[in-house]
Amino acid sequence: MQLLENPIGVFDSGVGGLSVLRAMREQMPNESVIYFGDQGHVPYGPRSMEQIQKFSEGITHFLLEQNSKLIVVACNTASAAALKYLRGRFPEVPFVGMEPAVKPAAEITKTGKVGVLATPATFQGALYASVVERFGAGVEFFQHTCPGLVGQIEKGELESNATRAILEDALLPMLEKNIDTVVLGCTHYPFVIPLIERIVGRECSGDRPSSLGGETGQTSA
Ligand code: DGL
């Protein structure tokens, strides 16, 4: 298989963006890709917008030095905090970012109640407020930041009791409110879909993070 020459640069705070990379590989098998996981600074979620912008700018410089022709910010948190900033700093570079899949969730919910799991920085960013305003009319959203979950996933603890406890804290109160759809608003979270399915039951739908401006990825759990 002949790989196309200049790579697509992809970055995340850690392993989360690998869930995006997996989808890219399926859809664009001929593209060469360079992946940067900023495991020296993970998690990004509790950090300030300025800090996340600084890290994202440094990583962008590195990926451009590797001749990246396009950069995928495979992280909802970095997209929320830094996508606009990066587009301003590097006007000649095309960036693709993530936003929580609020739109497909609002379209498929039957109870009109949707749970959203994402990091504090993602919820604070203007991007989240904007997708809820644009696509969430008539739907009630229940948000949770799942403290510690990104760290558990980085450690590879996808099934442990501690990971389960974090997810139960987030999801059980939402189930009591009658949610029927869960938005995974962090690219780390698809790695714990099997555990989430066991907590919420298979009739609850899980939406994967979607790409900004592109088609939304969606999976029925
Ligand atoms: N994978 C990330 C996201 O999509 C980052 C989480 C973190 O570093 O806190 O938000």
Side-chain angles (χ1 to χ4, degrees), residues 85-197:
Y85 173 82
L86 291 173
R87 285 178 173 150
R89 297 284 295 163
F90 304 91
E92 72 293 353
V93 178
F95 287 94
V96 177
M98 304 289 123
E99 67 182 10
V102 162
K103 184 178 178 206
E107 284 165 2
I108 61 179
T109 177
K110 294 200 168 53
T111 60
K113 294 177 196 294
V114 168
V116 186
L117 309 183
T119 69
T122 296
F123 284 131
Q124 279 156 32
L127 205 51
Y128 178 69
S130 141
V131 283
V132 169
E133 193 186 313
R134 280 180 292 144
F135 306 117
V139 175
E140 197 173 356
F141 293 94
F142 298 91
Q143 287 140 214
H144 203 287
T145 59
C146 301
L149 184 56
V150 167
Q152 291 297 107
I153 294 169
E154 284 288 323
K155 283 192 281 179
E157 286 199 27
L158 307 183
E159 297 279 345
S160 69
N161 288 340
T163 305
R164 188 183 179 99
I166 294 170
L167 283 166
E168 282 180 350
D169 267 2
L171 292 166
L172 294 181
M174 292 181 181
L175 289 170
E176 275 170 29
K177 302 279 185 194
N178 206 23
I179 61 154
D180 65 352
T181 305
V182 180
V183 174
L184 305 181
C186 168
T187 55
H188 278 73
Y189 298 169
F191 291 108
V192 287
I193 284 177
L195 187 50
I196 292 174
E197 281 181 347

Side-chain angles (χ1 to χ4, degrees), residues 12-13 16-17 42-46 74-77 119 122 150 185-188:
D12 177 54
S13 60
V42 68
Y44 279 9
C75 175
N76 285 265
T77 305
T119 69
T122 296
V150 167
C186 168
T187 55
H188 278 73

Side-chain angles (χ1 to χ4, degrees), residues 2-10 21 24-25 28-35 68-70:
Q2 177 88 37
L3 287 182
L4 300 177
E5 253 168 44
N6 280 11
I8 296 176
V10 181
L21 184 62
M24 288 172 62
R25 282 252 177 266
M28 301 179 284
N30 292 333
E31 291 288 351
S32 57
V33 173
I34 176 163
Y35 184 85
S68 298
K69 61 184 170 195
L70 176 150

